[in-house]
Amino acid sequence: MVAGSGRVDQFLVTGQPVNIGARLQSAARPGEVLVGSLTRELTATSVRYAAPRWIEAKGAGAVEAFVVLEMLEEPAAFSTVPSAALVDRDSELRLLFDTYERVENERSTYLVTLYGEAGVGKSRIAREFIDRVGPHRVRAGRCAPYGEGVTLAPLQEILRADLGIVAADDVGSAKAKLDEVVGASSYEGVEAEVVSRGIAILAGLATVPSMWPDLPAESVVSELNYALRRFLEHRSANAPLVLVLEDAHWAAPALLDAIEHLTEWARAPLLILCLARSELIMRRPSWGGGKMRALAMTLDPLSPDHTRELVEALLPATRSAHRDEIVRRSEGNPLYVEEFVRRLVESNQSPMSMPATLQGLIAARVDAVEPALKSMLQRASVAGRVFSTEALTALGEDVREVASRLRTGLRRDFIAATAEQGSGGRREYRFNHVLTRDVVYASVPKSERAKLHDRFSRWLEAVGSRRGVGDREIVAYHAEQACLFAREIGLEDAPALASRAFLMLLAAATSSRDRADYHGSRALFQRAAAIGEATDVDPALLIEARGYAATSRLRLEGSPEALAQLEGVLNGGTWNPSTSRERSAIPRLLPPPFANLRPRQQLGEISTRSGASCARPDHCSSQVRTERSWRGCFLAWPTTPRDVVTSTKPKPVYRKRYRSRKTLWDASSLRLRRPSTAARLGISTGRRRALSSRSPRRANLDRPSPWRSRPLR
């Protein structure tokens, strides 16, 4: 109410708002701004507030007040559809909290896998659990659907978050933070250096050759697992730590191996929560099996009664007549209910005219938005489920319009703000669900996809050169996609994109091989070879891609078929070892006994292996004229390039130790108890019996590295 007189220039304002405003003013400390709940609700997209506190207002009782912390450069989440309470998930939440309590009391590590189909509510339960436990004790990583080869990305997210490394930090600043954290922990002896080097590799700050130049290839995985385990044990010494792995069904085999290693050997209060679809069991039937502290639970669709409860919480009262139709069509999928309600609120369509599938509902909502917002969402979908404003700008978004379009996307519930920062120190965003991202991406024309993937790959490469080496696999993936789409529609720059994709994939595969991730390196080398075969690339590099793809397979399988694949690379008629460019690749592909020969002898060996006639028989070494010698040498061949290129004259002691251990390891995987297998490999009967009678432990296969006396678990 406003009262005043026309004879004076003063007005009197009274009423409840004035009373509450006066109480807020008197309760505010010097330099502090306090607002009420309505002001906070109206400005939540532009202002960040502290936790609420209560003050007494005369005539109004207790009033909720909020302290203004800062103005946001970019909008925060604001939804037109209210958030519903978690429905019919009490038993799953109770199990999570009971497990967390056991982790805290027993100070042991537990693995919990939460299975469920897309949209059933796995992420919703995880968010509820994280909010109650406290986000400061949680580290999360997301697996991307890029296929094998992007192994370390989720671990990088977890470790960088724990170390306080943000996207804006360069590699020097990131290593300084790592050294500070490791230095503050009570490691014994040289353990601090081992952990620091291993975490630098896992966090994407360094490569294996730069950290461990003399470490044999077979010890890399053990050292990395050891460093990760000891680091997390120290980080969780004072309070339990929760590691969340989203979309674990896309995780690389090496990452799943690392998680199982933590579950079995870590002696610290760790709770590892994996969110996955049923594909994880298909890919890894033994996942979690045989582990004493491994649990699994499946989220089923909601019952009709619980679905109706969710619909009533989301649907406006004016649309209550459509409740039964939504319950019937959703089939208990909470995400379908939310998307259906959003579409119903945003349009005047009848429920009968709406798409029947979840993807169709999302696509209808995307097609109904204004073109500027749709274009921004399409650019964001190329970057992945998580993106930043810097990425949008690099993809061609108008920097002057980004904030307003993000605000619209938040209001329409397509995206949500995260607590993370991008490479420029600004906020990151994520699609509300991975299905939303997939549907938006499917609406991008292929010609536009080629351009956007190329732009994003080049931007990531420029940013990654400053941050370290952590994004090589992702850079290679986007370069590969740009090449494939350009080829498919016949763009003029397809050859240039193919050459760049080949080099990026080769660099990513080499990095993966250095970490002894043979699953990832095999896939990346194969993808590089597939592109290189249809492109005018350096023949020596193409041979390298083919050869290392074969050797990675041999490391994994140790089968006669894998040996035949490698022989096919050397025997194939697609290359001529007489040319100088292709001959330069031979030392990188041959075992050390071959690489140590003079160039003429190398040429002779390859000619012999490929069936070609050698003009000078004396150029060929007699020790490799038989199948037994060639295959026996290969079983002892380290695939790390430093072991081949730099070892021009390997010491006999090293060759003997390495060969005996690796020959036994590879031979045992070939099941040498079969005489036929041993005969094909050219191994004598006495040698076969000796190998078959030795167990791995008696053969000292698990012996720790000679430079560190602490045994590995």
Side-chain angles (χ1 to χ4, degrees), residues 70-71 80 141 179 446 543 566 689:
E70 63 177 344
M71 300 296 295
T80 56
D179 294 339
K446 291 183 178 180
I543 294 171
L566 182 61
R689 291 175 178 174

Side-chain angles (χ1 to χ4, degrees), residues 563-585:
L563 282 171
Q565 180 181 347
L566 182 61
E567 288 186 358
V569 174
L570 298 179
N571 295 343
T574 58
W575 59 282
N576 181 9
S578 300
T579 62
S580 59
R581 292 178 65 193
E582 296 175 355
R583 191 168 61 246
S584 64

Side-chain angles (χ1 to χ4, degrees), residues 576-632:
N576 181 9
S578 300
T579 62
S580 59
R581 292 178 65 193
E582 296 175 355
R583 191 168 61 246
S584 64
I586 296 173
R588 294 195 295 271
L589 285 178
L590 288 175
F594 291 171
N596 297 333
L597 302 177
R598 294 189 299 273
R600 284 180 175 271
Q601 290 177 317
Q602 292 175 348
L603 179 59
E605 301 296 353
I606 291 296
S607 299
T608 301
R609 295 303 316 137
S610 62
S613 61
C614 182
R616 295 285 303 278
D618 56 312
H619 291 165
C620 302
S621 173
S622 59
Q623 66 171 343
V624 289
R625 292 181 182 276
T626 63
E627 287 289 316
R628 173 184 177 181
S629 179
W630 188 85
R631 286 174 169 166

Side-chain angles (χ1 to χ4, degrees), residues 152 155-156 159-160 163 165 178 198-206 470:
L152 294 184
L155 269 184
Q156 286 176 10
L159 294 175
R160 285 174 179 259
L163 294 168
I165 299 174
L178 170 61
I199 297 302
I201 296 170
L202 293 174
L205 305 177

